[in-house]
């Protein structure tokens, strides 16, 4: 591939509106190469404070591409899976003038089509749970009736983290199959399902930058998906996350790179699909070794908040190297301190919740008492400005992220700072990262 030197000054368009993007924006702004950083018109209030707002709607890609041309945007960074599925990457990519961090629709299929991901893994002998694919309700129901040992029913399309049901009994599995194929609660995203073996073991998220050829495996983070303390209650997008995690030993990361990341990207290459962006492998460490539960083709939210807090690299250069196939030439390192992000949520989340409630206490959270080598960062998620006031605009509202010597201390600090953030019905988990030992 031709060499594409990173310009001295890079104007960046960052797509996505939430907490992950605020953390990315904060790190992009620290780059010595950042020119103007642009974000979407409905980006949260935190993003709008540190970036300029692009006037074009993301839905009109033709106009957006013309605007990129006018504003001399050299790098587009895509956060959310929906935009990858819509193939914004292909539509905005215009080398050598403009490169995109984020795979095209074909690469993102690893995330938006779990049946495709399974097929790729099978062909590449990547360790994963055995699974069958169904579109017919009767056949699926006949099959689950034989699964006395339990199984996992998965809608194959994008369901914002809600399309997976872990079923211990045949009744549960029957209901999950009917939800997808009969009641169609996930619409088109659930019309094809996977029924897979139930695996057991701790879970680890391994995120790697990939330029289609080389990888850079990032320090691992672990998120907490259940809404309640002690991992109880329904699944959410993620109530908090911390990094590093003792579950992701260097040995485990090497195995995941060798047995999962490399063969998967090689398989895509054989299909003429260049993968440039984040490959995120959700792994379960089973007694028979680590196995893939799912792929995401983007940064995780909220895993990105602690990862960006710890990243010691120029993020513009890193995204540029990923987007242009030059990852082999860059170095990435991480702050030795640990980071923990606690997400303050709206009452009712992950179900329905009110919006427009005034938020206060951000300065109190930021200035909470701490040691000189500790930090507290506030990343907005679902916030907006209304008549000059900061108000809630989502289920996950603010991610309070602390850096400290150990995960345990970072967790204490983030939890104490989260308690300073106030709006009606605000709540957060108080046990993010506390299972982690303190060494
Ligand atoms: P996914 O969206 O595929 O990562 O699934 C969401 C959650 O469901 C995972 O984080 C796991 O906790 C659980 N899960 C998914 N697949 C399996 C499986 N084969 N066995 C056990 N649990 C699973
Ligand atoms: N926190 C999980 C995800 O971003 O998919």
């Amino acid at each position: 591939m031709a060499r594409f030197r990173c310009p001295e000054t890079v104007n960046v368009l960052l797509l996505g509106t939430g907490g992950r993007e605020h953390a990315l924006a904060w790190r992009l702004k620290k780059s010595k190469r950042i020119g103007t950083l642009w974000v979407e018109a409905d980006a949260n209030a935190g993003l709008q404070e540190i970036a300029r707002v692009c006037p074009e709607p993301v839905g009109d890609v033709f106009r957006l591409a013309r605007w990129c041309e006018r504003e001399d945007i050299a790098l587009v960074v895509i956060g959310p899976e929906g935009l990858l599925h819509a193939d914004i990457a292909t539509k905005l990519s215009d080398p050598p003038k403009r490169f995109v961090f984020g795979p095209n629709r074909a690469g993102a299929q690893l995330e938006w089509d779990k049946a495709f991901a399974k097929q790729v893994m099978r062909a590449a002998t990547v360790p994963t749970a055995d699974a069958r694919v169904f579109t017919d309700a009767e056949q699926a129901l006949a099959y689950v009736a034989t699964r006395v040992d339990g199984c996992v029913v998965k809608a194959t399309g994008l369901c914002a983290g809600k399309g997976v049901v872990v079923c211990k009994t045949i009744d549960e599995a029957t209901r999950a199959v009917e939800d997808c194929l009969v009641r169609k609660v996930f619409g088109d995203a659930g019309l094809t399902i996977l029924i897979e073996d139930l695996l057991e073991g701790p879970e680890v998220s391994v995120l790697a930058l990939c330029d289609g050829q080389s990888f850079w495996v990032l320090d691992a983070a672990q998120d907490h998906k259940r809404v309640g303390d002690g991992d109880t209650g329904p699944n959410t997008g993620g109530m908090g996350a911390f990094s590093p995690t003792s579950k992701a030993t260097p040995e485990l990361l090497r195995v995941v790179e060798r047995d999962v990341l490399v063969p998967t990207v090689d398989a895509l290459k054989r299909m003429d699909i260049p993968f440039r962006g984040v490959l995120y492998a959700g792994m379960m460490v089973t007694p028979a070794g680590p196995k893939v539960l799912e792929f995401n083709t983007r940064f995780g939210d909220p895993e990105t908040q602690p990862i960006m807090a710890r990243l010691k690299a120029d993020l513009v250069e890193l995204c540029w190297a990923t987007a242009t196939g030059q990852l082999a030439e860059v170095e990435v390192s991480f702050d030795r301190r640990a980071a923990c992000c606690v997400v303050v949520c709206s009452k009712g989340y992950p179900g329905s919740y009110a919006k427009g409630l005034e938020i206060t206490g951000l300065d109190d959270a930021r200035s909470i008492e701490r040691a000189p080598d500790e930090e507290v960062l506030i990343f907005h998620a679902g916030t907006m400005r209304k008549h000059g006031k900061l108000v809630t605009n989502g289920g996950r509202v603010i991610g309070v992220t602390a850096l400290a010597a150990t995960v345990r201390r970072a967790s204490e600090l983030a939890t104490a700072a989260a308690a300073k953030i106030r709006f009606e019905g605000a709540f957060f988990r108080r046990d993010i990262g506390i299972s982690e030992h303190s060494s």
Side-chain angles (χ1 to χ4, degrees):
M1 179 160 178
R3 284 189 51 81
F4 297 106
R5 274 173 57 113
C6 186
E8 298 263 310
T9 307
V10 183
N11 294 334
V12 179
L13 172 64
L14 170 64
L15 297 178
T17 60
R20 160 184 52 209
E21 286 78 21
H22 194 193
L24 290 169
W26 170 79
R27 186 50 78 189
L28 285 166
K29 289 279 286 188
K30 292 191 179 295
S31 162
K32 64 177 186 291
R33 293 189 192 265
I34 191 76
T36 307
L37 174 65
W38 296 87
V39 293
E40 289 182 48
D42 50 1
N44 66 42
L47 279 164
Q48 299 209 14
E49 261 164 38
I50 61 170
R52 285 185 68 182
V53 173
C54 162
E56 302 295 348
V58 184
D60 190 338
V61 188
F62 180 71
R63 276 174 56 181
L64 189 60
R66 276 209 322 221
W67 174 88
C68 286
E69 187 78 41
R70 277 201 308 278
E71 293 298 337
D72 196 21
I73 303 292
L75 178 68
V76 179
V77 177
I78 304 180
E81 61 274 23
L83 296 179
L84 298 172
H85 179 241
D87 210 10
I88 302 285
T90 303
K91 292 170 186 159
L92 293 185
S93 163
D94 189 12
K97 273 189 305 204
R98 185 163 59 249
F99 294 90
V100 178
F101 178 94
N104 63 14
R105 181 181 161 92
Q109 193 171 358
L110 282 180
E111 173 162 3
W112 60 260
D113 181 355
K114 287 179 193 279
F116 171 78
K118 211 48 131 181
Q119 198 185 319
V120 170
M121 284 190 273
R122 233 179 248 149
T125 61
V126 170
T128 183
D130 279 339
R132 291 220 195 170
V133 182
F134 293 92
T135 51
D136 180 84
E138 241 171 78
Q139 287 178 11
L141 290 170
Y143 177 66
V144 293
T146 67
R147 299 301 308 254
V148 282
D149 48 341
C151 62
V152 183
V153 177
K154 298 185 173 185
T156 54
L158 292 179
C159 302
K162 298 196 179 100
V164 174
V165 188
V166 177
C167 308
K168 296 269 162 64
T169 66
I170 292 176
D171 276 355
E172 283 171 351
T174 302
R175 211 173 313 124
V177 168
E178 286 173 351
D179 274 348
C180 289
L181 298 181
V182 181
R183 289 185 282 276
K184 303 186 176 158
V185 299
F186 301 115
D188 287 353
L191 294 183
T192 302
I193 60 169
L194 281 179
I195 301 178
E196 70 177 40
D197 288 354
L198 190 65
L199 303 177
E200 271 174 26
E203 285 180 45
V204 185
S205 308
V206 180
L207 282 80
L209 298 175
C210 174
D211 68 358
Q213 200 76 38
S214 309
F215 290 92
W216 197 285
V217 180
L218 302 176
D219 266 17
Q222 202 177 319
D223 78 343
H224 293 257
K225 289 207 173 74
R226 300 299 188 103
V227 73
D229 284 2
D231 289 329
T232 52
N235 263 326
T236 69
M239 297 295 293
F242 60 93
S243 169
T245 158
S246 58
K247 284 185 194 144
T249 58
E251 170 63 13
L252 180 83
L253 295 179
R254 269 194 300 275
V255 171
V256 173
E257 180 170 10
R258 188 193 64 203
D259 296 349
V260 175
L261 302 174
V262 171
T264 301
V265 169
D266 279 350
L268 291 181
K269 237 183 334 192
R270 286 194 294 276
M271 298 161 77
D272 260 339
I273 302 171
F275 191 99
R276 304 230 166 89
V278 177
L279 184 55
Y280 166 142
M283 305 295 306
M284 193 166 260
V285 187
T286 75
K291 296 193 178 187
V292 177
L293 297 177
E294 65 158 352
F295 282 125
N296 293 323
T297 58
R298 49 161 178 92
F299 280 113
D301 190 344
E303 295 93 315
T304 303
Q305 287 81 320
I307 289 177
M308 286 302 132
R310 294 187 58 231
L311 182 72
K312 283 169 84 178
D314 185 304
L315 188 56
V316 169
E317 288 177 2
L318 200 52
C319 291
W320 180 269
T322 307
T324 57
Q326 302 177 106
L327 205 46
E329 290 159 38
V330 299
E331 284 290 321
V332 181
S333 65
F334 284 86
D335 197 313
R336 290 169 60 118
R337 290 174 298 172
C340 179
C341 171
V342 173
V343 183
V344 184
C345 298
S346 300
K347 182 178 170 192
Y349 177 76
S352 57
Y353 48 81
K355 290 184 182 179
L357 304 169
E358 187 175 359
I359 308 166
T360 58
L362 263 56
D363 286 335
D364 294 342
R366 252 184 227 111
S367 56
I368 194 163
E369 194 180 335
R370 57 179 187 271
D373 62 343
E374 297 176 339
E375 279 178 65
V376 173
L377 305 164
I378 306 287
F379 295 126
H380 291 230
T383 67
M384 68 182 288
R385 290 247 165 230
K386 202 170 179 183
H387 310 305
K389 284 186 178 155
L390 184 68
V391 300
T392 65
N393 191 37
R396 293 189 291 173
V397 178
I398 302 267
V400 181
T401 305
L403 280 155
T406 63
V407 170
R408 193 170 260 278
R409 175 64 192 144
S411 160
E412 272 169 21
L413 196 54
T415 307
K420 302 281 181 194
I421 293 191
R422 306 207 183 270
F423 52 88
E424 202 185 314
F427 78 96
F428 54 91
R429 276 183 63 167
R430 287 164 194 278
D431 63 345
I432 305 298
I434 65 164
S435 60
E436 196 70 357
H437 59 66
S438 53
S439 65

